[in-house]
Amino acid sequence: MGNLLCGWPCPQVLLPGKFLFCVTLVCIRRIALQVKRISLSKNILRALDANTDIPALSLYPRSHQVTYRYYLGMLSFLNEDYAKSEQELTLAFYNCHINAQNNQQRILTYLIPLRILKGHLPSTELMQRFPILNELYTPFTAAIRVGDVAGYDRALDQLERQLVDLNVWLTLEKARELCVRGLFRRVWVATEKSTRIPVSMFRSSLTVSGIEASQDEAECLVANMIYKGLMRGYISHEKQMVVLAQTNAFPRLADRQQPFSII
């Protein structure tokens, strides 16, 4: 990642405070690579924000802006501040030099899982531009699109070492609920969008998908979907019946107001 500054031209004359800015970037980078000590990065960032002598970030060369936003986004990702991470990584990606594909790939390594978590699946065109990321993330997006929970679990298992090394395994494990939501939506469609569906039907769908679950576990999964706004309705525990809303029973993932707040 030391080459992330490359791609955009850097002027010869340093702005006031630019030396401190670059030193800060080096410190942030080192801390980011030591995941067990990422909490220390907050002190560095707090000191940077408190220094009024440092010019606004927009006054620095584009390459410096991209580098800073990448590391800030990465640290926010590791601290599970996903909203902040997505904001910084998105700005880093759109400001990255068009020919700096390796740097774009580094940014997308963390941005794509965040977008998946929000229900925004990457397009085929985007993934084809980055073969390594395509191989890493397509098994998950493909499973989400068809509600293949077992396929999603296989991908988590087969790619675990790579995902752990990149610190994205936990984020993708959290996104598994989108796959469950997709499966349950297929049950709803199969019942001609009925507003009353027995819990046993959701359990059967899990079994067909290769997931063994008891009646109570299936009910718990449905309750979790409702709590997180992935389904609209309620469960009649006594009758073992799921009563869904007549309209918008499965809200669009992209329409959730705060998708990171209840993860």
Side-chain angles (χ1 to χ4, degrees):
M1 185 53 68
N3 197 36
L4 192 63
L5 284 171
C6 297
W8 286 103
C10 294
Q12 296 295 325
V13 180
L14 292 177
L15 289 170
K18 184 169 292 185
F19 177 73
L20 176 59
F21 186 77
C22 293
V23 169
T24 301
L25 286 178
V26 173
C27 292
I28 291 176
R29 178 194 177 194
R30 289 178 178 175
I31 293 173
L33 295 177
Q34 299 177 27
V35 180
K36 295 181 180 179
R37 302 180 62 190
I38 59 174
S39 60
L40 297 179
S41 65
K42 295 180 180 179
N43 295 331
I44 296 176
L45 295 174
R46 191 178 298 115
L48 182 63
D49 291 336
N51 193 325
T52 57
D53 295 331
I54 299 178
L57 182 62
S58 60
L59 298 178
Y60 290 92
R62 185 73 65 84
S63 59
H64 289 208
Q65 294 180 43
V66 171
T67 302
Y68 179 77
R69 292 194 183 281
Y70 167 78
Y71 284 119
L72 184 57
M74 181 180 177
L75 287 169
S76 297
F77 185 97
L78 296 174
N79 281 314
E80 297 188 29
D81 185 354
Y82 292 141
K84 176 68 173 177
S85 179
E86 184 194 24
Q87 175 185 344
E88 296 298 338
L89 292 173
T90 298
L91 289 171
F93 181 75
Y94 284 117
N95 284 282
C96 191
H97 196 282
I98 192 171
N99 294 326
Q101 182 148 336
N102 287 338
N103 293 340
Q104 291 178 341
Q105 178 173 295
R106 293 185 179 104
I107 296 168
L108 287 174
T109 297
Y110 296 94
L111 184 56
I112 287 177
L114 292 174
R115 300 292 285 174
I116 290 176
L117 204 54
K118 288 183 67 175
H120 296 279
L121 304 184
S123 66
T124 302
E125 292 76 17
L126 176 65
M127 299 308 289
Q128 287 177 345
R129 288 176 51 198
F130 303 94
I132 294 177
L133 298 182
N134 187 33
E135 182 179 350
L136 186 64
Y137 292 126
T138 294
F140 298 103
T141 57
I144 290 174
R145 286 189 169 98
V146 299
D148 183 5
V149 182
Y152 197 97
D153 289 344
R154 282 194 301 273
L156 279 175
D157 183 58
Q158 293 169 1
L159 298 168
E160 181 178 3
R161 185 69 268 159
Q162 293 172 260
L163 299 174
V164 169
D165 289 343
L166 292 169
N167 297 301
V168 299
W169 188 91
L170 181 60
T171 307
L172 288 171
E173 196 276 334
K174 291 178 179 179
R176 180 182 184 270
E177 65 187 19
L178 303 186
C179 200
V180 176
R181 180 254 186 202
L183 176 63
F184 287 174
R185 188 180 187 282
R186 292 170 73 89
V187 173
W188 175 62
V189 171
T191 61
E192 299 183 350
K193 300 184 178 180
S194 172
T195 58
R196 293 178 179 273
I197 304 174
V199 173
S200 59
M201 289 195 66
F202 292 106
R203 181 190 178 189
S204 297
S205 71
L206 290 166
T207 302
V208 171
S209 184
I211 304 298
E212 292 298 327
S214 66
Q215 186 81 349
D216 288 342
E217 289 171 335
E219 183 179 346
C220 183
L221 283 173
V222 174
N224 191 51
M225 294 291 104
I226 294 173
Y227 170 72
K228 294 191 174 182
L230 298 171
M231 296 169 57
R232 294 180 63 239
Y234 65 91
I235 300 174
S236 173
H237 179 71
E238 181 181 355
K239 297 181 179 180
Q240 285 294 286
M241 185 72 65
V242 179
V243 182
L244 295 172
Q246 292 186 352
T247 58
N248 201 24
F250 286 81
R252 279 172 21 99
L253 295 173
D255 292 340
R256 290 179 296 167
Q257 294 298 315
Q258 295 180 317
F260 297 135
S261 62
I262 54 176
I263 293 172

